[in-house]
Amino acid sequence: EIEVPESHPRYQSLLTRHRIEDGVKKGITSTQGLIAQGRGEAFDYLLGERTIPSADRAERVAAAHLLLAEQPVLSVNGNVAALVPEELVELAEVTDADLEVNLFNRTEERIHAIVDHLHEHGASEVKGTAADERIPGLDHERAKVDSDGIYAADVVLVPLEDGDRAEALAAMGKTELVIDLNPLSRSQQASTVPIIDNAIRAIPAITTHARVLQRASSTLEEMRTIIDEFDREAILADAERVIRNGSD
Ligand code: ATP
Ligand code: MG
């Protein structure tokens, strides 16, 4: 399906672009998603198209949050569904989280296309079709969530969330794990855990951390310590510093 020579210096970046294009063709990703992708690429370029060490620390903390959560939910939009469907299903399995399709530009067609796509990639249950609750403070269409999904969740992983909705979820008191390459975005400003990394790397990295934490049979107390010692301001500042200095 994708023909990019692996020897190309920007292989991963080109592969990502093709996946998003493919997502648009399949009705999974919105055309707005293409613009979001472009913005993401610019920040990824400035960060060196790699996971910076402070992002890796945030990914470990995100894993601890998901493992300790009562009701964790992974929010899925058209971009991540196109980029990392299998990896999302895997993370949901490892952390015992629910997957919920949650779109900024919500259409029933796209919701169903993404639900089907996730099923094709191994998901059992996918939430997001009930849409029987509302996030307070947002207009009708943007507010729709499942009552037994994001609405009830204590911890929500939100990749590439719109700033308004990220703020509204934070106002509901949720622990918000935000994947967004722009450390200055309103989404990241509203986050509990800012994960400043490409979703394509961040999702599998969180899964790996969750597996390691489980394998080490870390006690609840150890995971709580990992969470308590986390300094979100330092993470935001570090990403900004790397962008400005062009190095660690
Ligand atoms: P704000 O959060 O400031 O309100 P926004 O949400 O309106 O901004 P968008 O362009 O809608 O901004 O959101 C896209 C965001 O997602 C950008 O900040 C972009 O850097 C980020 N992004 C795009 N692709 C990826 C990706 N693959 N992984 C991580 N982040 C990404
Ligand atoms: Mg945003």
Side-chain angles (χ1 to χ4, degrees), residues 34-240:
L34 291 169
I35 296 167
Q37 164 69 18
R39 266 220 239 186
E41 279 186 24
F43 283 101
D44 207 12
Y45 196 98
L46 293 171
L47 287 162
E49 296 177 330
R50 62 180 171 134
T51 301
I52 62 172
S54 58
D56 185 64
R57 291 205 297 281
E59 283 155 4
R60 182 159 176 263
V61 173
H65 270 295
L66 290 170
L67 290 173
L68 285 184
E70 296 271 334
Q71 208 177 327
V73 175
L74 315 183
S75 173
V76 181
N77 65 18
N79 283 57
V80 280
L83 292 174
V84 280
E86 263 161 39
E87 291 85 348
L88 282 166
V89 172
E90 206 178 337
L91 178 59
E93 274 169 14
V94 170
T95 59
D96 205 12
D98 283 325
L99 293 162
E100 177 165 341
V101 181
N102 177 33
L103 305 179
F104 183 67
N105 296 299
R106 185 186 176 93
T107 68
E108 291 311 308
E109 289 84 348
R110 223 149 59 72
I111 297 263
H112 287 285
I114 295 172
V115 169
D116 291 347
H117 185 67
L118 291 172
H119 282 311
E120 281 163 27
H121 287 86
S124 41
E125 205 206 331
V126 182
K127 294 192 187 328
T129 51
D132 52 350
E133 260 302 352
R134 302 286 176 270
I135 302 169
L138 295 176
D139 65 83
H140 186 74
E141 275 308 299
R142 309 233 188 280
K144 287 181 173 176
V145 282
D146 282 18
S147 57
D148 62 350
I150 289 175
Y151 192 79
D154 52 345
V155 176
V156 191
L157 177 80
V158 287
L160 290 69
E161 183 56 285
D162 161 68
D164 272 356
R165 292 206 307 180
E167 283 166 7
L169 286 171
M172 284 179 87
K174 298 194 189 297
T175 296
E176 224 179 333
L177 319 172
V178 176
I179 302 175
D180 188 325
L181 282 155
N182 177 5
L184 303 173
S185 71
R186 284 185 302 142
S187 307
Q188 283 307 21
Q189 299 304 320
S191 67
T192 314
V193 179
I195 302 158
I196 304 160
D197 196 8
N198 198 315
I200 228 170
R201 296 185 299 266
I203 302 278
I206 298 168
T207 305
T208 302
H209 281 299
R211 284 218 169 92
V212 171
L213 288 172
Q214 276 173 335
R215 209 175 300 134
S217 53
S218 310
T219 62
L220 298 184
E221 209 179 322
E222 279 163 350
M223 286 199 265
R224 252 175 228 126
T225 305
I226 291 172
I227 288 170
D228 289 343
E229 285 173 353
F230 181 70
D231 179 355
R232 69 178 291 280
E233 299 305 324
I235 296 291
L236 289 168
D238 187 68
E240 207 179 315

